[in-house]
Structure formats: C-alpha cells, structure tokens
Amino acid sequence: MRLAVVVLLAAVSAPAQYDILIRNARVIDGTGNPWFHASVAVKDGRIAAIGRLEGATAARVIDAAGRVVTPGFIDVHTHVEGAIEKVPRADNFLLDGVTTIVTGNCGGSVQNVAGWFARLEELGVGVNVASLVGHNTVRRQVMGTENRRATAGELARMKELVHAAMQQGAVGFSTGLIYIPGAYAPTEEVVELAKSAAAYGGVYASHMRDEGAQILEAIHEAARVGEQAGMPVQISHFKIDTPRIWGFSEKSIQLVEEYRRRGVDVVVDQYPYDHSSTNLGITLPAWALAGGADALRERLSNPETRSRIAAEMEQRLKDLGHPDYSYATVAYYEKDHSWEGKNIAEITRLRGLEPSLANQIETIFHILLNGGAQMIYHSMSDIDIERILRYPNTAIASDGGVRVFGEGMPHPRSYGTNARVLAEYVRKRGVLTLEDAIRRMTSLPARTFGFRDRGLVREGFAADLLVFDPARVQDKATYTQPHQYSEGFDYVLVNGVVMVDNGKLAEARGGRILRHRPEPLLP
C-alpha cells in the first residue's frame, strides 16, 4: 500500500515531458506528400516528437480534433520596414498563418541591417524576420538618384555595403529595376553586386525591369544575374501586368523552365490577386524622376518638358492596353485621405475637371508634387494568375506589409494572401491540392532562402506550427474594405510560443531575427 502511494505521488509530481502537445491531428508536413494522422509534441521551441505519442504528457495540450497541423507559412516577399516597429506583433500576418517573413524586397531595405535587427529584438516581434539588402538602397547611399553608370570607385563602395549587410545577417540581395535609382543601373552592375551576396550563400530576389511586353528580356536578365553570380534566383510577384498581352504567362513560365533545365536555380513567387500595388511614380518615364522631388518639380515647371513627359505617359498607356488611368486607385495619400479608395479619373472630377486623359495626367502630376501616393492598379488577368499558380516552382508571397488596422486603403493581400489561396484556389476552384498549396507556403520558400530548420513538420525543426480546419479558412479583406483579418487559423505557434490561441491573438512575442551565416563561403 505504501509503495502504491509513493508511485502515485511520483507520477503526480513528475514534470511534463513536453511544453505543448497537439493531439488528434492530420499532419500536412510541408513536403507535398499526403496528410497522416499523428500527434506533435513541442519542447524548448522545437518539434520534439511526431507520432501516436500515447501516454505523453505536456504543460499544455491542444486537441486538434481532426484539424490539420502544418508548418507555419513563410512569406518571402514583404515590405515591413517602418511599420513593424508600430505593430511588432505583426497581427495581420499571424492571423493569415504567417510565422516567417522576408523583407528588404524590390531593391529597398534598411541601410543598417545590424542596427535594425537589434531594434526589433529590443521591441520583441511576433513573427520571424529575415531581410535582404536592397540595390536601390545601396545605390542611393553612394550615388543618390543620378541617371548614369557608376564609376569604378562607386561600384566598389556599393559592393562594400552589400558585403557589410551580408555580414550583418542579410539573406541575399534584392533589386527593383523599375524603380529609381535601380532603373538606371546596367546589368553588369547588378551582377557585380549580386556576387557580393553570393559569396555568403545569399539569394538574388528580383523585381524585374518589366512584367509585361518585355517580360522575356527581363527574365533573361534576372536568370543570367543568378547564373553569372552563382546563386539562386527568386523572381518576385511573377505576373503579366499588361492587358494587351494577357495570357502570355505560358511563354514566361516556359522560359523559367529553360533556365532551370540548364542548371540555374530559378523559382518565382506570386500573390493571388488581379490588382498590384506600388507607388504612383511608376506611371512616369524613369528619366523624369532622376534627381528626386526637386528635380521633378523643375522638369514639370518647364512647359516643353512637361509636355514630353505627358506624351510618353500617353504612349505607355497605349502600350499597356489601358484607355486611361481609371485602373489606378489611390491606396494612401497623406495630403488628402478622402481620395483614398478612388481612382485617378474620379479624383480628377473631384478637382473640378473633366476626366479627360490630359486632365488625369495633370492630376497625377499634382499628387506627385504633393508627396506622391501609394496606389493599387488593376493590371492582371485570371488566366495568368491560375497558370502561374499551377506552376510547381511558384511560392506564395503577399508583397504586403505590417498594417496598422484601419489606416489607409491598402491592398487586401497584406491581410488575406494565404487564406485566399486555401479558400479560393484549393477549396473552391481546385487549382491546387491542399498538400501542394502548403508546400508552396512552407518548404519551397524555406529551401530557396536556406531556412534549414523551418518549413517542415519534422523532429528537431523550429516549432513554427499552424492548427486549422481547411473547410473554414477564409480571407475577408477586399479592395473596398481591406482592414479585415483572415479567419480560420485557430492556433499559430512561433518558435513554440502560442501567438494565436483559439483564433485570438495572444500577448506574446515568439518571433526571432533570422540572420544568415556571417562568414563568406570558401572559394
């Protein structure tokens, strides 16, 4: 009798084996393979065991009740600088199932990677954060926004800045070759700077020079940069953004495959929407933006130059296949928030003008001379979206940012990208299987960016995990009402910390800074 009591007391006082035990789950492990029944145990921020685990004990038990357990989603194309400092928990990403983000895309990053990482660690973040070093940022530091080739000394200085960022933990080098000043850089400059990142095993992530009529030339350039620098290539937000050639994705995908067959590791990412989002300045010819805001103001004050800019804008509209600028909607305009959610034609009317093309161009000049605006452009077709989504080497990425809830009229992709893929393209349309969709959100981006212990439900890997019912996941954000969180992600764990608990955000900070290797690779 005494022995039985001792054994009972020992059992009661024994510490739990695990921190968290997720029981009765259908595990989709991120490989693309079919789901399987299992329980998943977490200890010290890592996946400790996967299997039946009968008799296992834990400080916290979550009954999945037949819901799926997957790796947390990895969003490799975000822009969070300046916003994650305001919302360090990154609420909109967590409620869309995202546990890791890569920022510094499209050639734009922070200048001091180490300092920014230290600041985020001080704040505490809700998701894991990695960063690229941006070409536009580096070029602007050295050359400003001048429209010319770099001198040998300037190129050497830019290479030093890329090396420094990689030593501070950047995961690669990004370009935004439609933006200023990257648009002024020749391919040779991009290759040389990419080599500086390749020396550390970095990735080349490119917003290409063109995503429409010249897309094949742009793909050639992006792939050759990776080929010559000896590094993987991630082509950002792969799309056809020109109505005149909608359907051309068949040829653009074919070209990517040709480079893959010759040994260049090219993959792409995509957001599942037919609207894009970027600044208003891209509607102007690149030469008009050289030298910054003061130089643009001077050019527009010259009647001859102003007419030349307007004429080139009209010609570009024809080349794109748009009749006017009604396809362009203001998402954020600091000078007049009442214009947010309205297109350029509508704003032209609000200014008391007839919405002729000439007057719409004058409205664009007015906005740019008053600080510019963030825009949403209706520029893509469903046929290209579906074809690109079916391509096996397409990862899912939002091209979104951390959002202050209720501020501005942002693209809904910041809130609903992953839920939209699962609800619209898996559940409703059947474009992807659930297992393959999860692979595109997890192991595919993890492989590309070298996150060796994330992206899979595997013992020893970081416990970035989701628990959800695929039948209930739904994106809610729309273009007219973008500030709506996705629904259906019941539990979100980041490094073993429960960040979403039964559908509600938790007051926790489980995220970490994911620094790349600090030492260059051996030659």
Side-chain angles (χ1 to χ4, degrees):
M1 184 67 176
R2 180 176 296 176
L3 178 60
V5 171
V6 171
V7 171
L8 178 60
L9 289 174
V12 170
S13 61
Q17 292 173 270
Y18 304 111
D19 299 324
I20 298 173
L21 181 62
I22 306 172
R23 290 195 177 279
N24 304 318
R26 289 183 292 148
V27 176
I28 299 177
D29 64 6
T31 62
N33 291 330
W35 62 265
F36 57 91
H37 285 295
S39 295
V40 180
V42 174
K43 180 74 171 178
D44 297 329
R46 297 202 165 263
I47 299 170
I50 306 167
R52 297 181 66 179
L53 305 183
E54 293 180 356
T57 61
R60 168 102 189 255
V61 176
I62 297 173
D63 185 1
R67 289 170 289 187
V68 298
V69 169
T70 75
F73 301 150
I74 299 172
D75 190 335
V76 297
H77 194 106
T78 72
H79 299 274
V80 305
E81 297 85 349
I84 194 169
E85 296 89 337
K86 299 177 183 177
V87 189
R89 191 171 53 182
D91 299 355
N92 54 300
F93 281 111
L94 286 171
L95 289 170
D96 200 39
V98 176
T99 57
T100 297
I101 59 175
V102 180
T103 193
N105 284 282
C106 295
S109 66
V110 295
Q111 293 185 10
N112 182 350
V113 173
W116 189 60
F117 281 170
R119 172 61 176 150
L120 295 187
E121 287 178 325
E122 179 184 354
L123 285 172
V125 289
V127 296
N128 303 308
V129 179
S131 182
L132 298 148
V133 53
H135 174 223
N136 290 339
T137 299
V138 167
R139 200 177 210 265
R140 190 175 288 108
Q141 282 181 264
V142 175
M143 300 176 59
T145 57
E146 295 187 38
N147 183 2
R148 62 174 176 81
R149 286 175 173 261
T151 66
E154 288 167 337
L155 182 59
R157 176 59 183 148
M158 285 191 280
K159 292 178 71 172
E160 290 175 2
L161 292 174
V162 175
H163 274 293
M166 294 302 297
Q167 289 171 340
Q168 293 167 14
V171 294
F173 174 66
S174 78
T175 51
L177 297 174
I178 70 164
Y179 298 121
I180 305 304
Y184 308 139
T187 305
E188 311 91 83
E189 175 181 310
V190 178
V191 170
E192 286 304 304
L193 297 179
K195 287 179 179 177
S196 296
Y200 297 80
V203 178
Y204 173 53
S206 179
H207 179 147
M208 300 183 296
R209 288 192 197 268
D210 193 88
E211 296 170 331
Q214 305 300 315
I215 191 171
L216 297 185
E217 292 86 343
I219 292 171
H220 278 300
E221 180 183 38
R224 287 170 181 165
V225 169
E227 188 173 43
Q228 293 176 34
M231 63 199 304
V233 178
Q234 178 89 26
I235 297 179
S236 299
H237 37 62
F238 204 60
K239 66 170 81 76
I240 302 296
D241 71 355
T242 302
R244 187 170 55 81
I245 60 165
W246 279 348
F248 199 73
S249 55
E250 184 175 6
K251 293 184 178 179
S252 63
I253 291 170
Q254 181 181 354
L255 183 56
V256 170
E257 272 299 288
E258 288 176 10
Y259 274 100
R260 288 188 62 81
R261 285 195 293 271
R262 67 193 248 186
V264 185
D265 185 1
V266 185
V267 296
V268 306
D269 62 60
Q270 177 194 36
Y271 51 83
Y273 298 88
D274 61 3
H275 290 57
S276 62
S277 180
T278 188
N279 64 64
L280 182 60
I282 66 161
T283 59
L284 270 65
W287 63 264
L289 301 171
D294 289 341
L296 174 63
R297 188 177 300 278
E298 184 175 342
R299 292 185 184 102
L300 291 178
S301 67
N302 182 303
E304 183 177 342
T305 307
R306 191 183 189 101
S307 294
R308 178 188 169 193
I309 294 170
E312 291 191 26
M313 291 171 69
E314 287 191 31
Q315 185 58 52
R316 184 168 185 270
L317 269 183
K318 292 178 183 178
D319 293 341
L320 290 172
H322 292 292
D324 61 13
Y325 287 99
S326 58
Y327 79 104
T329 299
V330 171
Y332 182 80
Y333 180 47
E334 188 173 357
K335 290 288 185 179
D336 190 342
H337 294 294
S338 70
W339 289 5
E340 294 167 0
K342 297 178 177 63
N343 66 44
I344 294 298
E346 292 169 332
I347 293 170
T348 301
R349 289 192 187 94
L350 290 175
R351 296 183 65 222
L353 302 171
E354 286 297 315
S356 65
L357 181 54
N359 284 340
Q360 289 180 42
I361 290 173
E362 288 300 317
T363 293
I364 290 174
F365 292 162
H366 173 81
I367 294 173
L368 288 173
L369 291 173
N370 284 277
Q374 185 71 12
M375 305 294 294
I376 292 176
Y377 299 97
H378 183 198
S379 56
M380 293 168 284
S381 77
D382 218 34
I383 186 172
D384 291 310
I385 293 170
E386 283 204 14
R387 182 181 288 128
I388 293 167
L389 191 58
R390 291 180 191 275
Y391 178 53
N393 294 304
T394 298
I396 308 303
S398 68
D399 196 8
V402 171
R403 292 296 169 191
V404 177
F405 194 84
E407 185 176 283
M409 291 287 287
H411 196 296
R413 66 194 182 188
S414 290
Y415 284 92
T417 289
N418 296 285
R420 177 168 171 77
V421 169
L422 296 176
E424 182 70 17
Y425 293 95
V426 174
R427 192 170 70 228
K428 182 178 178 181
R429 303 193 195 185
V431 174
L432 299 176
T433 66
L434 178 59
E435 288 86 351
D436 194 34
I438 298 303
R439 179 186 67 85
R440 279 82 161 353
M441 301 170 178
T442 57
S443 67
L444 177 58
R447 181 203 68 83
T448 303
F449 282 81
F451 301 141
R452 293 179 175 83
D453 63 346
R454 297 174 198 274
L456 293 170
V457 180
R458 181 169 293 174
E459 291 181 6
F461 274 44
D464 295 345
L465 297 167
L466 309 178
V467 180
F468 64 93
D469 180 354
R472 290 193 304 106
V473 167
Q474 185 65 57
D475 59 309
K476 306 293 287 184
T478 65
Y479 296 106
T480 56
Q481 293 183 303
H483 293 286
Q484 299 187 78
Y485 295 121
S486 294
E487 294 179 351
F489 293 103
D490 299 317
Y491 296 91
V492 178
L493 279 65
V494 181
N495 297 303
V497 177
V498 178
M499 296 298 304
V500 176
D501 195 338
N502 198 24
K504 304 296 184 182
L505 288 161
E507 293 297 333
R509 297 289 188 274
R512 297 177 184 172
I513 303 303
L514 302 185
R515 293 176 175 85
H516 203 49
R517 60 170 61 88
E519 299 298 328
L521 302 175
L522 294 175

